[in-house]
Amino acid sequence: MRSLFLSAFAIICPVVLGTAYLSVHEVNSHEQAQYAGPKPKNIILLIGDGMGLTQITAGLLANGKTLHLEQFPMTGLMRTHSARELITDSAAGATAFSCGCKTNNAYIGVTAQKKPCLTILEEAKKNGLAAGLVAACSITHATPASFVAHVADRAETENIATFFMETEVDLLIGGGMKYFNQRKSDQRDLCKELLQKGVVQSDFSKQQLADIQPDPQHPFAWFSAEGEPVSVQKGRDYLPVAARIAPAFLKKRSEKGFFLMLEGSQIDWACHDKDGPRAVSEMLDFDEAIGAILRFAQKDGETLVIVTADHETGGMSLEQGNAPDSLDIDFNTGYHTASMIPVFAYGPGAELFGGIYENTDIYVKMRKLFGWAPVPQDGK
Ligand code: MG
Ligand code: ZN
């Protein structure tokens, strides 16, 4: 009880409320210490939405007992509660990573007091780095949106889309084109507006991503047709391809480095539906993307790769199967759970990711490794 009470103080975003409350930095006093180790030029944050330890274990067993995740030399564990709730949703979970502050469920890029907070992606752009977002859902969905948009309701997808006009993300790969060009709330055609800014667009339904050679002279936006991309089981095949294209493209966009967030979005959806085989196929698709990112980072040598999740979904369990290698997957809820989430790190600065810490510390560690000045005091 006492620790719950204490954490209620720790979760209030320090940027807004000042020194009366514990800041994320104070909660983890070791973060105060100067870090003198190697620093990455590029950071790639990979989020497997809903990917807890059991989802990883199921993927591993289904894949002949191996995953690309095993190649990460550093692992840690993260607490995921949001500002008001023990169990976070993807909006608050992603905002913890993007802004370093515990906010309420459904809030996107705003503090618990609904104040916009500067995201790590926005700050990367301000510092001259390139930035990209890749998701296996619509690009306006909670996880990718939390790096660009600032709204207190994740359901405002058309409103969220307008924020992509304000921050010039170099690369967008995901679905949700209809929130840009078939808008009910206003008559704007955001695809046309992006085009006017020199952003090149393509349509999944017309051209395969693998056939695209994005020109680094132009920011490159990519949306799949209309709404949400289908599942891997129904033929979605772009996430590993996007993972191969994105870092190579972003590296050419800025000499100062880049920030990329790539999400395996539908592990969560399969687990909400209590669909074990679909969860495994989404997990393995995400792991393929992880493999592509790792190959880039191994060759590049200046890239830190972090793999984690916003929360576990479904309370997934592995039961006794009919044979030693058969999986019997069960779920005990249709929603998320509060269990701690693993963090995997590879590359310069990976040593900072061992131990047990808050999800907001992912942000603190990434900023520290980018070597930026102390956290801005007044939100945006
Ligand atoms: Mg998500
Ligand atoms: Zn979910």
Side-chain angles (χ1 to χ4, degrees):
M1 193 62 206
R2 183 169 162 268
S3 61
L4 268 181
F5 189 69
L6 274 177
S7 60
F9 285 96
I11 56 186
I12 297 169
C13 184
V15 175
V16 173
L17 293 182
T19 53
Y21 300 92
L22 292 176
S23 75
V24 287
H25 305 269
E26 286 159 342
V27 168
N28 292 273
S29 54
H30 66 274
E31 294 291 348
Q32 297 280 33
Q34 279 295 313
Y35 171 72
K39 285 185 176 154
K41 185 172 171 185
N42 317 307
I43 296 181
I44 303 178
L45 176 63
L46 303 174
I47 302 174
D49 199 312
M51 184 188 74
L53 266 181
T54 314
Q55 282 78 1
I56 294 170
T57 310
L60 185 120
L61 292 173
N63 197 45
K65 301 198 176 80
T66 184
L67 287 177
H68 291 106
L69 270 178
E70 290 168 271
Q71 295 173 39
F72 285 71
M74 179 58 75
T75 56
L77 287 169
M78 192 177 70
R79 293 181 286 262
T80 63
H81 64 84
S82 58
R84 245 185 343 219
E85 316 252 8
L86 174 64
I87 296 175
T88 188
D89 77 339
S90 296
T95 300
F97 300 147
S98 69
C99 289
C101 110
K102 296 268 188 186
T103 193
N104 295 329
N105 291 359
Y107 286 20
I108 301 274
V110 296
T111 67
Q113 292 72 37
K114 300 190 182 181
K115 276 188 116 184
C117 48
L118 187 72
T119 74
I120 189 134
L121 184 147
E122 291 167 323
E123 202 173 358
K125 289 298 295 179
K126 280 184 187 207
N127 283 303
L129 281 73
L133 291 174
V134 176
C137 60
S138 91
I139 207 72
T140 54
H141 212 274
T143 310
S146 296
F147 289 81
V148 169
H150 305 278
V151 297
D153 182 0
R154 58 183 284 171
E156 291 180 14
T157 40
E158 290 191 2
N159 185 11
I160 286 167
T162 64
F163 286 90
F164 287 89
M165 305 301 115
E166 290 168 33
T167 299
E168 297 191 348
V169 185
D170 296 79
L171 177 73
L172 297 171
I173 301 178
M177 188 183 269
K178 69 176 180 185
Y179 304 121
F180 291 74
N181 64 4
Q182 296 168 43
R183 297 167 61 80
K184 297 185 185 81
S185 55
D186 60 33
Q187 297 308 305
R188 289 173 73 180
D189 182 341
L190 302 184
C191 285
K192 205 174 266 176
E193 290 181 33
L194 282 173
L195 206 60
Q196 282 157 1
K197 287 169 171 243
V199 175
V200 177
Q201 292 155 29
S202 300
D203 186 330
F204 277 163
S205 61
K206 295 184 184 127
Q207 201 171 7
Q208 288 297 307
L209 186 58
D211 298 336
I212 301 285
Q213 295 289 335
D215 176 2
Q217 298 303 312
H218 300 280
F220 173 64
W222 179 289
F223 311 108
S224 68
E226 304 222 342
E228 301 298 347
V230 296
S231 66
V232 173
Q233 284 184 345
K234 289 198 170 150
R236 192 192 74 241
D237 64 354
Y238 74 78
L239 198 66
V241 179
R244 185 166 49 74
I245 291 173
F249 173 79
L250 292 170
K251 190 178 161 76
K252 290 187 200 136
R253 285 287 298 163
S254 170
E255 292 188 342
K256 292 188 172 171
F258 66 80
F259 172 78
L260 168 65
M261 192 288 294
L262 179 145
E263 183 197 22
S265 316
Q266 298 194 29
I267 302 166
D268 173 69
W269 301 359
C271 293
H272 277 289
D273 291 345
K274 303 188 175 182
D275 186 334
R278 181 150 65 94
V280 166
S281 65
E282 291 296 334
M283 177 67 222
L284 294 181
D285 182 61
F286 183 51
D287 189 63
E288 274 301 303
I290 292 168
I293 294 288
L294 259 186
R295 283 191 290 279
F296 170 86
Q298 283 160 352
K299 214 170 138 199
D300 181 66
E302 298 182 297
T303 301
L304 169 69
V305 184
I306 305 157
V307 185
T308 188
D310 43 5
H311 52 71
E312 194 272 346
T313 303
M316 186 195 255
S317 63
L318 298 176
E319 316 284 330
Q320 179 67 53
N322 297 325
D325 56 353
S326 79
L327 285 181
D328 185 359
I329 297 173
D330 219 341
F331 297 89
N332 66 22
T333 172
Y335 193 57
H336 309 154
T337 67
S339 69
M340 286 199 289
I341 288 297
V343 182
F344 303 82
Y346 172 93
E351 64 203 68
L352 287 189
F353 291 83
I356 296 181
Y357 42 86
E358 294 293 332
N359 54 1
T360 46
D361 285 321
I362 297 287
Y363 167 89
V364 174
K365 292 171 197 295
M366 289 193 298
R367 270 194 100 265
K368 178 179 281 193
L369 288 166
F370 268 141
W372 296 339
V375 177
Q377 285 306 299
D378 196 24
K380 269 205 100 173

